[in-house]
Amino acid sequence: MEKNCLKSKVWISVLALLVAMPIFVVAVSWFFPERELWAHFSTILLPNLISATVVLLIGVGVGVTFLGTILAYLVVMVEFPGRQWLEWALFLPFAVPAYVLAFVYLGVFDYSGYVQVWMREVLGLSGFDIRAGSWAIILTFVLVFYPYVYMMARASFKRQKVNIIEAGRLLGTSPLRTFFKISLPLARPAAAAGLLVTLMEILADFGVVSLFNFDTFTTAIYSAWGDFRSIEVAAQLASLLVLVAFFLIYFEKKARGQAKYYSSDVVNKKPYRAFGIMGWLISIFIFSVFMLAFAMPMLQLIIWGWAYSSKELNVRYTDLIISTLVLTVSATLITVSIATILALPNHCKKNSSWLKSVINIATLGYALPGSIMAVGLLYGINQVSAVSIYFGGQSINQIIFGSIALLLFSYISRFMAIGYNSIKASAEQIKPMFTQSARLLGVSRLRLIWQIYLPMMTPGILAGGLLVAVDVMKELPATYLLRPFGWDTLAIQVYELSAEGLFERAAIPALIMVLFGSVLMIIFQYLDKKS
């Protein structure tokens, strides 16, 4: 038994630490400082980067928390016209990449867009600059990232016992007071978890901030690498983002530690009914969010795409779709396989703080931007090559740089947390009595996994795989930096065309991405209802 546990610990540790390698490599970059270039960044650029990033985090954080929580509460606790289809429709913006929503709104509301042309020609107004300030980029992020808070808060509200709320009503408590005193405190840990993921996504974003010409840490990382040709400074800037990410994770865990979930079986009974004028006002509010975040951008993409479909749809798009699918399917299969191995019930893990720690480290990748993953991997390979050359060996740069393996590794490291958390949730529902009965019958570990664990973990594996696939397909920074020469994807095509202001031409690859993502999210919703 001890020998088997030792082997299990070794294999799990090696697997987890390999996945977490980019995190360690970024930290090592501080041993090789470039003082002059770093002095330039720290004195001239860093203050503005910090203030812009803080404004973005606070603005989007408040927006997604408010919108996601309110929407989740209304669809779970209130019966109103159209509730059933709006409840699942609010998930669809998750399938829209942030940079797609950004270029649609830029194309519509920029100086040459429909809105400002109409304002000048019909109303005689001078218009506005959508790129001025931070309000437009904050609104874009709120519309595209609220599903994170909505998804988790909705699950929490569904687990809350209706009896508690009905007791408050019997005591004469108003619906608003019940929400703030009972429902919201119970859902706070879930909303905080959704907020954390949102803030991680904002730190990771490159497409939206570059389209809006809004400088953040991510754009500075690209500047240090692309403009100043310094991978060391890029890695050091990335490490500062790592510190911010770790701080956010620590703060969220501390907040969770003060709150507890009180769960019960999901019930369909709604404690409140809103019909008449109030019901329709709620429907209009939720429908308006759906229109702004998904329906209207989709309609605009269809209009643009239809006008250019005859010119744009060619053999090149077949190659883009194939490249995107190959990367998405490959990364999803590998990520889910590793996540399943790490999440499998194992009595050795229960008594091993070391295994728990290395697995936690392996799942921190989602807190890091794709740009950090790329910088960490390239910096690590560069240092390994330098050591190899120093001892008379050959450089491995030409072999590794620009390979699909490096890009897949970045996907696996970054999105491991999504697959692992989903699969782990299913694994935790397996009752210990199954394992104990199998041991008494002398069933081997392999047969136990194949006949008991995997069938019972299948819903979590499928759900985790779908979420990983959506994120891999949308990933821009890591793909942009690490893709092999000539290996463009739909995400790259959307970004390059929209960055040049060719919004109509960018509509076709964006539509294909949103269509794939929407299908995956509909399947995810189906699995969520079945579980």
Side-chain angles (χ1 to χ4, degrees), residues 37-90:
L37 187 56
W38 181 248
H40 168 75
F41 269 87
S42 61
T43 56
I44 298 177
L45 300 178
L46 204 56
N48 292 332
L49 294 178
I50 292 174
S51 61
T53 304
V54 168
V55 167
L56 209 57
L57 290 175
I58 293 175
V60 179
V62 172
V64 297
T65 302
F66 174 80
L67 187 60
T69 306
I70 293 298
L71 291 174
Y73 181 80
L74 290 175
V75 299
V76 172
M77 297 294 184
V78 182
E79 188 67 53
F80 58 87
R83 183 197 63 80
Q84 289 187 346
W85 79 269
L86 285 172
E87 182 176 5
W88 68 262
L90 289 174

Side-chain angles (χ1 to χ4, degrees), residues 31-32 37 39 68 101 124 127 136 153 179 181 220 226 274 299 309 345 362 368 386 390 413 426 435 477 531:
F31 291 102
F32 308 95
L37 187 56
L101 192 67
F179 170 72
K181 293 295 184 179
L299 179 61
S309 59
L368 308 180
Y390 179 80
S413 185
S426 291
T435 304
S531 61

Side-chain angles (χ1 to χ4, degrees), residues 25-212:
V25 172
V26 167
V28 172
S29 66
W30 285 102
F31 291 102
F32 308 95
E34 291 192 11
R35 290 182 174 83
E36 293 182 2
L37 187 56
W38 181 248
H40 168 75
F41 269 87
S42 61
T43 56
I44 298 177
L45 300 178
L46 204 56
N48 292 332
L49 294 178
I50 292 174
S51 61
T53 304
V54 168
V55 167
L56 209 57
L57 290 175
I58 293 175
V60 179
V62 172
V64 297
T65 302
F66 174 80
L67 187 60
T69 306
I70 293 298
L71 291 174
Y73 181 80
L74 290 175
V75 299
V76 172
M77 297 294 184
V78 182
E79 188 67 53
F80 58 87
R83 183 197 63 80
Q84 289 187 346
W85 79 269
L86 285 172
E87 182 176 5
W88 68 262
L90 289 174
F91 280 92
L92 291 178
F94 186 82
V96 181
Y99 47 86
V100 169
L101 192 67
F103 88 72
V104 169
Y105 278 115
L106 282 173
V108 173
F109 293 100
D110 213 353
Y111 182 80
S112 58
Y114 308 139
V115 173
Q116 294 211 47
V117 170
W118 178 77
M119 290 176 63
R120 290 194 301 270
E121 295 181 356
V122 178
L123 301 180
L125 301 176
S126 58
F128 56 90
D129 185 3
I130 192 174
R131 301 174 194 262
S134 58
W135 64 272
I137 191 172
I138 288 175
L139 179 61
T140 302
F141 275 131
V142 169
L143 289 175
V144 81
F145 288 138
Y146 83 82
Y148 285 114
V149 176
Y150 170 77
M151 182 186 304
M152 298 185 184
R154 170 179 167 271
S156 179
F157 285 131
K158 277 182 171 289
R159 289 193 298 265
Q160 293 180 12
K161 294 182 178 180
V162 180
N163 296 342
I164 301 176
I165 299 171
E166 290 181 339
R169 294 175 63 187
L170 291 174
L171 294 173
T173 306
S174 66
L176 193 62
R177 183 175 175 82
T178 301
F179 170 72
F180 281 108
K181 293 295 184 179
I182 299 176
S183 298
L184 185 59
L186 293 176
R188 189 184 305 161
L195 174 62
L196 174 67
V197 176
T198 300
L199 297 181
M200 296 302 101
E201 287 282 4
I202 295 168
L203 289 174
D205 180 79
F206 170 71
V208 177
V209 293
S210 61
L211 288 174
F212 276 93

